[in-house]
Amino acid sequence: MSSGAFSTAAKGLSRRDLVLAGSALMLGAAGPAPFGFGAVDALARDLANRPFAEPDRRLPAALAALDYDTYRQLGFHDDRALWADQPLPFRAQFFHRGGLFPEKVEVFEVADGAARPVAYDPHMFRYGRGPLSDLVALDGPGLGFAGVRLLYRLNRADKFDEVTAFLGASYFRAVAKGGVYGASARGLAIGAGEAGEEFPRFRSFWLVRPDRGDTSLVVYALMDSASLTGAYQFTITPGEATFTDVRARLHPRTEVARVGFAPLTSMFLFDPQTAGRFDDFRPRVHDSDGLAMANGAGERLWRPLSNPQGELQASGFQDAGPRGFGLFQRAKGFSAYRDLEARYDLRPSLWVEPQAHWGEGEVRLVEIPTRSEAVDNIVAEWRPDGVLRPGRPQALDYRLRWGPEPSAADLAQAALWREGRGDGGGWRRVMIEFEGAPAAVALRPEVRAGSRPVRNVVAEPNPVTGGWRLAFEFAPGEARQVELRARLLDESAPRSEVWIRRWTA
């Protein structure tokens, strides 16, 4: 047995187990049934009844020692991609194991209703002539893959572009036309940003061979962790905005609290308000600059992200039946970033839209201090009230939208904000620029600062931007934190999203 395989007795389900179990599940009274989500769900349910076993991370020393930059030099030969020899709209390539990605994932192709393993071959990869050149001889067919990347003719009819990648734990990300990778999603989070955080992982993928005219690709995945297992279906539709429709069914092994549905991960280092903390020529550095929410009460909220000094910061926004939430890259245009290498101006906004009623809970935001743009320090998730319990599968359906920020109908957006010293006596002044509110309509401001006093509240049209400027002062006094909230209204309804921010001393 290869070093990356799992024995049935000690490690759960092996590659052979998965194939045979899937084949058995497809046999019914009426004969063979096509492999699909039901087969993966049955595998997840069976796995949940077995003790959890840590994945095998054993690797040859040279592969285990790869640092991040060297690992990135491992390439894949385009002509070895799955479906490269067929006139199909999608192709699949694979990630090598090594460095930060030691865990093996099983990969299968689903064609004609049957699932067949995709065999690892070291000659699929480009190792170059440098320190990686000897890696091809380190292991044979048993080494396996670390993840999957999917390609599609996204930007040009004559070129396949990478549109989605699954790599590491349950992380995945996607791009839209003309964009680059930015914020990531995860299949599930447990205790994100808290002591004892658990990282469920996708241990197996099934790639459904597309037909010639398909514009979407279906991927099934089997999740495993100490607390639960899960069956996932991803329907990926690339385009001007790329959509990932997620269907999941979770099977708890134990009672699971602190679970995060549809978790998103991103990076925020600084923006013009906090640029003075960093010795950097760029005016802002981030993959996302705000958390957007559409709550069950019909409000649209905008929470600018922060890179806290000192301790981690967690915020919870209580809701019932959320309509959506996401991490957006709102600051637009190259001039906002001035970075020719990272191209933060091309990073996508990422929006979660539940496809069923999610009940009561909170949109939870975690902001972790960092001094490096190489660190993802932002997490956003839906944390439901209550716990998941063994024997009670949890269905989960939602859509992810990667690309330009989706519009909030008829509501002005908070495009810019600044905070500074107020008029003496410990007062602080806040200024917010709203875009999209018509200057010809009479609007009034609504401002709160928790229990702290507020004064000099003004809302006026901005003749330069064509929008509105809202300004106010608040007195934090001895408070270490103050929750700020501001919006614009007309005589009958809100005309802007709600700008919210946690001020900290």
Side-chain angles (χ1 to χ4, degrees), residues 184 186 189 192 260-266 291-292 305 325-327 352 363-366 378-383:
S184 298
R186 281 193 265 174
F261 292 166
L264 313 179
T265 302
S266 193
L291 168 66
L305 296 179
F325 69 93
L327 294 174
V352 178
V363 175
R364 184 169 177 270
L365 174 68
V366 179
I378 303 295
V379 177
E381 64 182 10
W382 172 255
R383 182 170 285 192

Side-chain angles (χ1 to χ4, degrees), residues 26 34-36 40 82-83 108-118 205-210 218 220:
M26 290 186 292
F35 185 93
V40 182
L82 186 63
W83 309 317
F108 304 87
E109 179 193 15
V110 178
D112 302 321
R116 303 176 182 87
V118 177
F205 292 98
W206 290 262
L207 314 179
V208 180
R209 182 193 296 174
V218 173
Y220 302 112

Side-chain angles (χ1 to χ4, degrees), residues 441-444 487-495:
V441 177
L443 300 181
R444 61 182 176 86
R487 64 175 175 172
L488 298 170
L489 306 95
D490 63 17
E491 293 182 354
S492 59
R495 296 303 297 266

Side-chain angles (χ1 to χ4, degrees), residues 43-63:
L43 289 171
R45 185 174 61 249
D46 180 75
L47 187 60
N49 292 323
R50 301 169 181 246
F52 173 70
E54 291 288 344
D56 191 335
R57 300 180 176 89
R58 291 173 295 174
L59 282 172
L63 283 173

Side-chain angles (χ1 to χ4, degrees), residues 18-292:
L18 288 165
V19 175
L20 292 178
S23 299
L25 289 165
M26 290 186 292
L27 295 176
F35 185 93
F37 180 78
V40 182
D41 186 42
L43 289 171
R45 185 174 61 249
D46 180 75
L47 187 60
N49 292 323
R50 301 169 181 246
F52 173 70
E54 291 288 344
D56 191 335
R57 300 180 176 89
R58 291 173 295 174
L59 282 172
L63 283 173
L66 292 179
D67 61 26
Y68 177 74
D69 290 330
T70 307
Y71 176 84
R72 291 181 63 191
Q73 298 175 31
L74 285 166
F76 193 94
H77 291 294
D78 291 342
D79 61 352
R80 297 298 302 273
L82 186 63
W83 309 317
D85 59 345
Q86 303 172 58
L88 299 177
F90 290 87
R91 293 180 181 178
Q93 298 182 357
F94 309 102
F95 292 99
H96 205 289
R97 294 177 66 198
L100 294 173
F101 309 105
E103 297 172 359
K104 179 181 179 180
V105 299
E106 306 286 359
V107 181
F108 304 87
E109 179 193 15
V110 178
D112 302 321
R116 303 176 182 87
V118 177
Y120 166 84
D121 181 347
H123 294 93
M124 291 176 167
F125 296 91
R126 297 193 305 269
Y127 299 89
R129 298 181 180 180
L132 300 177
S133 59
D134 293 333
L135 295 183
V136 69
L138 286 179
D139 200 294
L143 188 64
F145 305 114
V148 177
R149 58 161 60 96
L150 305 173
L151 297 88
Y152 180 79
R153 293 185 179 94
L154 182 64
N155 297 300
R156 288 168 29 190
D158 62 343
K159 181 180 181 295
F160 279 86
D161 299 298
E162 185 176 332
V163 295
T164 296
F166 295 87
L167 180 64
S170 67
Y171 285 87
F172 61 99
R173 54 186 184 169
V175 294
K177 186 175 183 178
V180 300
Y181 281 136
S184 298
R186 281 193 265 174
L188 200 72
I190 301 176
E194 299 172 334
E197 180 174 359
E198 185 176 326
F199 289 89
R201 59 181 287 266
F202 291 131
R203 56 179 293 174
S204 305
F205 292 98
W206 290 262
L207 314 179
V208 180
R209 182 193 296 174
D211 292 330
R212 291 192 181 190
D214 285 351
T215 56
S216 299
L217 183 71
V218 173
V219 176
Y220 302 112
L222 177 65
M223 175 182 284
D224 193 16
S225 81
S227 296
L228 52 75
T229 67
Y232 280 74
Q233 175 180 314
F234 302 96
T235 303
I236 301 155
T237 309
E240 298 288 341
T242 290
F243 294 93
T244 307
D245 290 297
V246 183
R247 177 189 182 190
R249 193 170 175 88
L250 308 175
H251 296 274
R253 280 190 170 101
T254 64
E255 289 194 355
V256 188
R258 308 183 304 157
V259 65
F261 292 166
L264 313 179
T265 302
S266 193
M267 179 275 294
F268 180 90
L269 192 64
F270 64 86
D271 61 7
Q273 174 67 29
T274 55
R277 291 165 47 193
F278 296 86
D279 188 9
D280 199 301
F281 74 93
R282 297 166 295 181
R284 54 173 75 233
V285 174
H286 49 70
D287 286 339
S288 307
D289 58 1
L291 168 66

Side-chain angles (χ1 to χ4, degrees), residues 6 26 49 83 120 181 244 263 333 376 396 405 413 438 455 458 470 503:
F6 298 88
M26 290 186 292
N49 292 323
W83 309 317
Y120 166 84
Y181 281 136
T244 307
D376 280 349
L396 186 61
E405 177 181 339
Q413 295 181 342
R455 71 181 187 185
V458 177
L470 189 160
W503 178 89

